[in-house]
């Protein structure tokens, strides 16, 4: 039976495999409850049923069914982020339903593979277009449902993707690529949209009539054209248990030996890589090789490839990026392990050098040039052991040694990170082992310059990983394969383009969350359009990255600029989101102001005058994010004061970034709690916007032993307007700007004051 169009084939599939009628066989209350759960997770009951009626016509192989369910079920996890908000990983309502019904399970597994391979927005567009074209030619009386909209399909894709992210499809994709003779990192995984459209009906037809139906896919290949054969083989053979015959064509255009996947001598799918100028098509044939239906790309439409994304394990991710960036370089032709190790050391040395010149950026507070000069004092250090641990993780090389890195640092210090740097020995020898005509020196020099540029960008990732508090929990994390282009927009990358190796590099508080977001959200073109001034957590593909100011920890226990990574997406009362943002900034509203407590010559003690407790956080909802803020309750006796204040968690991180932590002293808790204030010191208490009649250089906030008061003081002092008791002092705007010292528990009262006093400028000391 020859089909006149794809709708006729779709109708035949429907006749052989009746549509799913899940909803009509369930009690009304159960239907509504499940629909509500799906909507809260970002999916939709109607769209899921529509997709199950397409993908659910296929049968998933028994072996894959068992392993998929086992792995996904074991990934169930839950981490408390805030009171009421969990980081939820593993099966949600979509997958839980799929584990009970075979048709929905078939849909989830196939969408999981496609979502792993393709960028979700491109995939949603391709499926939407495929479902629309399937219905072309349908009579007005057709009983087939209309295709769902793209936004609904995107919601289902993301639900399947995040809830099944523990299943690593790379193992199958890489195995197929190896069998076909491709390098895993260069395996062709893209394929045209019209092929996807044809397979939606041809796969179930071939599974139903395996001895009487054959799919023939012919896709031209070339240096810039991909066939998607790896993805197609995994889909057809590993998922659907079909026998697949592949006729590969090498990059030189020559046809190589046919490769069969499956034990049957009778293949159900034949994939032929054709010459670059050959025709592209997908055809359904019967056992007599009669063409039943052929689908080709429309000549007047942009029926191109579905945009894919290559996933690479985070551990060792740096090696893949180096290999991609240096593909074709003279020094990299033989893939010498010595060259690779040299480049790992170069990148690590760059990171060590950069980390010594980082300065906390607080331009939001700067009001004049004199105050701006004080920023040079806001340096912060990154622990060498953390940098070394990050380097070993990034390159999956436990043999990287700090001594070797230091030897490179000694040669590169105080120099621009460009081609003028000495080339590492293995790189230089390997490059010159391939002599070229007269311009070979220029070629080697240009390649070394590009290598330095690659190492600079990769060093930013290395420093970011050094800020990840729980790197040991990230063994299963996958990063995007191409992130160098996106990384060029990072604030540190822009400064490094013209860095001389000496000047300070100014870094805002969210630099490392942004750097981690690039490979985590690498497929998203709008990564830099996120509202970073409000972003507390980002989530994608079943993993999240967030700032550590959630919870009730004392600010001194939180490492400035640190990031946490974990499996799961933020969930609250069954509602799943892809991010957490601060509520509107500037929510602090005081009806009273802070006041002087003690002055020079008076005795003060280590205490908290106005106590503050951390209340249940505020949590609201945006379109696809939670909106949150910390709530702080004041317990003072000042009349008219607003007792509950709100401040965002991203704001709290920024205020913590602007503060310096006191250094450990030798006295600790052995020093007496009472001290006599010296000249230029005064204590203050209370919270507000203005502080009047203050001349002292060092103002000491009496907030000791109270986490809430210390946080609120951090949020208040950057904006506190201070005036003296004279007209000249009142007009001195620079007098408002003060640096902030946050006392830690390993520093005594007196030493905290002394550490501020020994530095220039005016200071707040938060006890």
């Amino acid at each position: 039976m020859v089909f006149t169009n794809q709708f006729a084939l779709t109708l035949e599939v429907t006749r052989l495999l009746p549509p799913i009628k899940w909803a009509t066989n369930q009690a009304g209350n159960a239907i509504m409850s499940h629909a509500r759960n799906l909507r809260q997770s970002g999916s939709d009951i109607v769209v899921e049923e529509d997709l199950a009626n397409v993908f659910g016509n296929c049968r998933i192989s028994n072996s894959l069914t068992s392993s998929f369910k086992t792995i996904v079920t074991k990934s169930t996890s839950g981490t408390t982020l805030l009171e009421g908000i969990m980081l939820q990983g593993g099966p949600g309502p979509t997958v839980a339903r799929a584990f009970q019904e075979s048709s929905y399970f078939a849909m989830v597994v196939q969408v999981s593979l496609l979502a792993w391979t393709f960028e979700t927005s491109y995939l949603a567009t391709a499926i939407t277009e495929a479902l629309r074209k399937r219905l072309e030619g349908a009579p007005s009386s057709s009983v087939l449902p209309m295709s769902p909209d793209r936004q609904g399909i995107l919601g289902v894709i993301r639900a399947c993707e995040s809830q099944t992210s523990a299943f690593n499809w790379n193992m199958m994709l890489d195995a197929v690529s190896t069998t076909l003779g491709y390098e895993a990192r260069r395996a062709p995984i893209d394929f045209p949209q019209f092929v996807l459209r044809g397979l939606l009906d041809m796969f179930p037809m071939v599974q139903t009539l395996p001895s009487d139906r054959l799919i023939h896919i012919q896709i031209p290949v070339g240096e810039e054209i991909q066939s998607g054969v790896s993805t197609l083989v995994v889909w057809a053979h590993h998922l659907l248990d079909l026998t697949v015959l592949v006729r590969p064509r090498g990059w030189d255009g020559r046809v190589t030996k046919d490769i069969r996947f499956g034990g049957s001598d009778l293949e159900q799918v034949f994939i032929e890589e054709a010459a670059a100028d050959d025709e592209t098509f997908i055809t359904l044939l019967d056992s007599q090789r009669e063409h039943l239906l052929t689908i080709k790309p429309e000549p007047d439409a942009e029926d191109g490839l579905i945009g894919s994304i290559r996933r690479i394990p985070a551990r060792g991710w740096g090696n893949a990026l180096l290999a991609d960036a240096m593909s074709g370089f003279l020094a990299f032709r033989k893939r010498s392990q010595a060259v690779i190790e040299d480049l790992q050391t170069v990148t690590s040395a760059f990171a060590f050098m950069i980390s010594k010149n980082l300065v906390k950026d607080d331009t939001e507070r700067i009001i004049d040039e004199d105050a701006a000069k004080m920023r040079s004092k806001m340096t912060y250090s990154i622990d060498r052991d953390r940098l070394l641990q990050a380097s070993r993780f990034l390159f999956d090389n436990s043999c990287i040694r700090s001594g070797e890195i230091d030897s490179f640092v000694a040669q590169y210090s105080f120099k621009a990170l460009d081609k003028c740097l000495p080339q590492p020995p293995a790189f230089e020898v390997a490059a010159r082992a391939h002599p070229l005509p007269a311009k070979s020196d220029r070629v080697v020099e240009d390649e070394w310059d590009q290598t330095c540029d690659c190492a600079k960008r990769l060093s930013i990732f290395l420093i970011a990983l050094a800020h990840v508090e729980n790197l040991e929990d990230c063994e299963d994390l996958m990063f995007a394969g191409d992130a160098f282009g996106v990384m060029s927009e990072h604030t540190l990358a822009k400064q490094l383009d013209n860095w001389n190796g000496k000047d300070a590099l100014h870094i805002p508080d969210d630099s490392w969350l942004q750097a981690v977001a690039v490979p985590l959200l690498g497929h998203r073109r709008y990564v830099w359009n996120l509202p970073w001034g409000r972003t507390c957590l980002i989530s994608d593909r079943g993993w999240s990255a967030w700032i550590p100011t959630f919870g009730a920890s004392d600010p001194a226990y939180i490492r400035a600029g640190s990031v946490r990574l974990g499996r799961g997406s933020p969930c609250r009362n069954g509602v799943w989101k892809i991010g957490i943002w601060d509520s509107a900034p500037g929510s602090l509203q005081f009806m009273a102001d802070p006041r002087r407590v003690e002055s020079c010559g008076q005795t003060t003690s280590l205490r908290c005058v106005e106590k503050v407790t951390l209340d249940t956080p505020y949590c609201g909802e945006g379109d696809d994010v939670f909106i949150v803020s910390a709530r702080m309750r004041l317990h003072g006796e000042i009349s008219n004061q607003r007792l509950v204040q709100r401040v965002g968690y991203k704001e709290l991180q920024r205020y913590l970034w602007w503060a310096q932590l006191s250094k450990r002293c030798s006295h600790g808790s052995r020093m007496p709690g009472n001290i006599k204030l010296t000249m230029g010191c005064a204590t203050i208490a209370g919270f507000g916007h203005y502080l009047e009649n203050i001349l002292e250089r060092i103002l000491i906030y009496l907030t000791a032993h109270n986490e809430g008061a210390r946080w609120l003081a951090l949020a208040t002092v950057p904006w506190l307007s201070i005036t003296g008791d004279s007209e000249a002092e009142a007009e001195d705007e620079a007098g408002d700007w003060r640096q902030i010292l946050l006392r830690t528990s390993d520093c005594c009262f007196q030493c905290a004051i002394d550490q501020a006093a020994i530095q220039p400028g005016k200071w707040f000391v938060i006890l």
Side-chain angles (χ1 to χ4, degrees):
M1 175 183 178
V2 178
F3 301 103
T4 57
N5 53 37
Q6 189 169 357
F7 172 74
L9 175 59
T10 302
L11 204 61
E12 180 66 10
V13 172
T14 303
R15 185 183 66 80
L16 294 173
L17 303 165
I20 301 163
K21 294 297 182 181
W22 178 85
T24 60
N25 297 328
Q26 305 295 322
N29 289 340
I31 296 173
M32 292 304 296
S33 175
H34 185 68
R36 187 175 295 109
N37 291 337
L38 289 175
R39 178 64 62 88
Q40 290 176 337
S41 70
S43 189
D44 184 275
I45 189 171
V46 175
V47 179
E48 282 195 6
E49 185 158 327
D50 288 341
L51 293 182
N53 272 311
V54 177
F55 290 98
N57 291 325
C58 294
R59 299 183 305 277
I60 305 300
S61 71
N62 292 333
S63 59
L64 182 66
T65 296
S66 177
S67 60
F68 188 89
K69 288 183 176 180
T70 299
I71 293 172
V72 171
T73 301
K74 285 183 177 180
S75 69
T76 302
S77 61
T79 302
T80 300
L81 295 172
L82 282 171
E83 188 170 344
I85 300 182
M86 297 283 293
L87 192 67
Q88 192 71 43
T94 297
V95 173
R97 175 185 182 181
F99 283 178
Q100 303 299 320
E101 301 181 46
S102 59
S103 56
Y104 283 87
F105 180 75
M107 182 267 291
V108 165
V109 172
Q110 292 174 85
V111 170
S112 176
L113 168 66
L114 296 175
W116 181 280
T117 307
F118 299 109
E119 197 278 316
T120 51
S121 62
Y122 293 142
L123 178 60
T125 299
I127 293 177
T128 303
E129 187 68 8
L131 295 182
R132 183 185 67 81
K133 287 184 174 293
R134 288 173 76 240
L135 298 179
E136 288 183 354
S140 57
S141 59
S142 171
V143 296
L144 290 179
M146 298 297 294
S147 60
D149 64 82
R150 178 186 177 279
Q151 197 61 33
I153 291 174
L154 181 60
V156 175
I157 292 173
R158 285 179 173 169
C160 295
E161 175 188 51
S162 64
Q163 295 173 34
T164 65
S165 63
F167 194 86
N168 189 340
W169 291 101
N170 274 7
M171 292 185 291
M172 295 181 185
L173 291 166
D174 291 349
V176 169
S177 299
T178 300
T179 302
L180 293 172
Y182 293 113
E183 295 180 57
R185 67 181 188 86
R186 298 185 61 84
I189 56 177
D190 295 354
F191 59 76
Q193 293 186 22
F194 79 90
V195 173
L196 172 67
R197 171 162 55 99
L199 293 176
L200 294 181
D201 289 312
M202 293 183 184
F203 271 156
M205 179 64 75
V206 169
Q207 270 197 323
T208 304
L209 303 170
S211 60
D212 194 44
R213 294 292 183 267
L214 169 69
I215 300 171
H216 180 197
I217 304 172
Q218 177 172 294
I219 305 178
V221 297
E223 190 172 350
E224 300 297 330
I225 307 175
Q226 297 189 45
S227 67
V229 63
S230 299
T231 309
L232 291 171
V233 170
V234 171
W235 190 359
H237 176 62
H238 289 281
L239 267 70
L240 307 183
D241 211 15
L242 299 173
T243 298
V244 180
L245 182 67
V246 179
R247 181 165 295 163
R249 186 179 294 265
W251 296 113
D252 57 0
R254 296 181 181 179
V255 176
T256 59
K257 183 180 179 181
D258 289 355
I259 300 174
R260 183 179 300 273
F261 296 86
S264 173
D265 293 334
L266 180 66
E267 64 271 6
Q268 287 85 42
V269 181
F270 174 42
I271 303 172
E272 183 177 12
E273 292 184 337
D277 55 353
D278 282 351
E279 191 177 28
T280 306
F281 61 81
I282 178 171
T283 297
L284 180 68
L285 306 93
D286 62 14
S287 57
Q288 303 303 315
R289 294 301 190 265
E290 180 182 3
H291 289 206
L292 304 180
L293 178 67
T294 297
I295 301 175
K296 300 179 181 180
E298 297 181 7
D300 60 342
E302 295 183 3
D303 203 28
L305 301 176
I306 307 172
S308 64
I309 178 171
R310 186 164 58 93
R311 298 213 205 179
I312 300 171
R315 176 177 285 280
W317 181 68
N319 296 327
L321 264 65
L322 284 174
D324 282 348
M326 297 184 61
S327 177
F329 282 17
L330 296 179
F332 216 64
R333 286 187 178 178
K334 290 188 176 181
R335 298 294 175 86
S336 164
Q337 184 61 30
V339 173
I340 294 172
E341 291 176 359
D342 264 358
L343 297 181
Q344 294 173 353
T345 307
V346 168
T347 302
S348 303
F350 282 9
F352 275 56
M353 294 164 55
I354 292 168
S355 67
K356 294 178 181 179
N357 291 272
L358 297 178
V359 172
K360 294 181 181 179
D361 185 20
D362 63 346
T363 51
E364 195 174 341
R365 294 186 63 207
I366 299 302
I367 57 177
D368 67 1
E369 292 184 4
D370 290 336
K373 294 177 182 178
M374 300 303 297
R375 286 192 300 163
S376 62
K377 304 294 183 182
M378 294 185 64
T379 58
Y380 78 105
S381 61
I382 304 174
D383 185 78
R384 284 175 54 89
D385 288 341
R386 298 192 70 90
L387 285 169
L388 186 60
Q389 178 192 19
S391 176
R392 291 170 175 172
F393 182 90
L394 183 64
F395 297 114
D396 191 20
N397 184 356
S398 60
C399 296
I400 295 176
R401 297 288 182 261
S402 60
E404 188 173 0
I405 295 173
D406 288 339
S407 68
F408 277 67
V409 170
Q411 296 185 65
Y412 293 167
S413 289
F414 309 113
K415 299 175 184 177
L417 307 182
D418 57 23
K419 61 185 179 182
C420 295
L421 295 175
Q423 297 176 18
F427 181 95
E428 185 175 14
V429 171
R432 300 193 183 283
H434 300 275
L436 292 176
K439 297 183 179 179
S440 60
D441 288 343
R442 176 67 61 84
V443 172
V444 173
E445 184 178 280
D446 289 345
E447 290 184 354
W448 172 237
D449 193 35
Q450 295 177 54
T451 301
C452 289
D453 185 63
C454 172
K456 277 192 296 188
R457 297 189 187 183
L458 196 53
S459 67
I460 300 174
F461 293 117
L462 195 159
I463 298 174
L465 290 177
H467 285 78
V468 175
E469 294 285 348
N470 59 329
L471 201 56
E472 67 280 359
D473 298 333
C474 302
E475 295 295 332
D476 297 329
L477 174 63
M478 306 295 288
F479 277 162
D482 54 343
F484 274 149
V486 181
M487 197 61 188
S488 62
E489 296 298 315
H490 192 276
T491 180
L492 183 52
K494 293 178 180 178
Q495 295 178 71
L496 289 176
D497 284 340
N498 300 300
W499 189 50
N500 60 10
K502 304 173 185 177
D503 294 341
L505 299 165
H506 299 285
I507 303 300
D509 66 283
D510 50 16
S511 293
W512 312 126
L513 180 63
Q514 290 179 0
V516 170
V518 168
L520 194 64
L521 309 177
H523 59 292
R524 292 188 177 180
R525 295 180 177 178
Y526 60 86
V527 62
W528 297 114
N529 293 332
L530 288 173
W532 288 107
R534 298 176 59 193
T535 301
C536 303
L537 177 147
I538 53 172
S539 183
D540 193 60
R541 299 177 183 263
W543 280 81
S544 296
W546 67 95
I547 58 177
T549 48
F550 293 144
S553 296
D554 185 273
Y557 297 153
I558 297 175
R559 195 160 58 98
S562 59
V563 178
R564 293 193 67 83
L565 287 164
R567 185 186 296 281
S569 303
C571 178
R572 174 175 177 260
N573 297 330
V575 178
W576 298 54
K577 300 289 185 179
I578 62 172
I580 299 179
W581 294 357
D582 270 357
S583 58
S587 301
L588 293 174
Q589 298 180 10
F590 297 102
M591 305 304 294
D593 293 313
R595 62 198 183 280
R596 178 193 297 269
V597 179
E598 293 127 354
S599 303
C600 174
Q602 293 181 303
T603 299
T604 185
S605 60
L606 195 63
R607 68 194 191 278
C608 180
V609 171
E610 188 163 332
K611 292 181 170 55
V612 179
T613 55
L614 300 174
D615 272 12
T616 302
Y618 164 78
C619 182
E621 292 184 27
D623 290 339
D624 52 8
V625 298
F626 291 114
I627 307 296
V628 300
S629 62
R631 299 171 72 243
M632 303 180 181
R633 181 176 296 275
L634 282 68
H635 295 277
E637 298 179 356
I638 301 175
S639 60
N640 300 324
Q641 181 67 288
R642 182 178 174 182
L643 296 181
V644 178
Q645 300 288 339
R646 288 185 184 179
V647 59
Y649 290 97
K650 177 60 171 64
E651 286 185 277
L652 291 178
Q653 169 164 290
R654 183 162 62 250
Y655 300 144
L656 182 60
W657 183 254
W658 291 346
Q660 296 185 37
L661 296 182
S662 65
K663 297 178 181 178
R664 182 175 184 176
C665 73
S666 59
H667 310 117
S669 59
R670 294 183 286 107
M671 285 292 288
N674 297 335
I675 66 170
K676 189 174 183 178
L677 294 176
T678 58
M679 184 179 297
C681 297
T683 59
I684 60 175
F687 306 94
H689 301 294
Y690 301 97
L691 186 58
E692 298 181 350
N693 300 324
I694 293 290
L695 289 171
E696 287 81 359
R697 189 170 74 90
I698 298 176
L699 301 181
I700 305 163
Y701 233 123
L702 297 175
T703 56
H705 312 307
N706 187 280
E707 294 172 351
R710 282 159 62 81
W711 275 118
L712 191 55
L714 276 173
T716 302
V717 295
W719 316 116
L720 193 57
S721 180
I722 305 173
T723 59
D725 57 3
S726 68
E727 183 177 347
E729 181 73 17
E731 292 176 353
D732 181 12
E733 291 186 353
D736 285 2
W737 194 88
R738 291 171 180 260
Q739 296 186 84
I740 304 164
L741 181 73
L742 179 67
R743 189 186 74 89
T744 57
S745 59
D746 58 1
C747 180
C748 72
F749 191 177
Q750 185 63 63
C751 285
I753 297 174
D754 292 345
Q755 288 177 25
I758 202 172
Q759 301 186 64
K762 298 182 178 181
W763 286 83
F764 284 111
V765 176
I766 300 176
L767 297 181

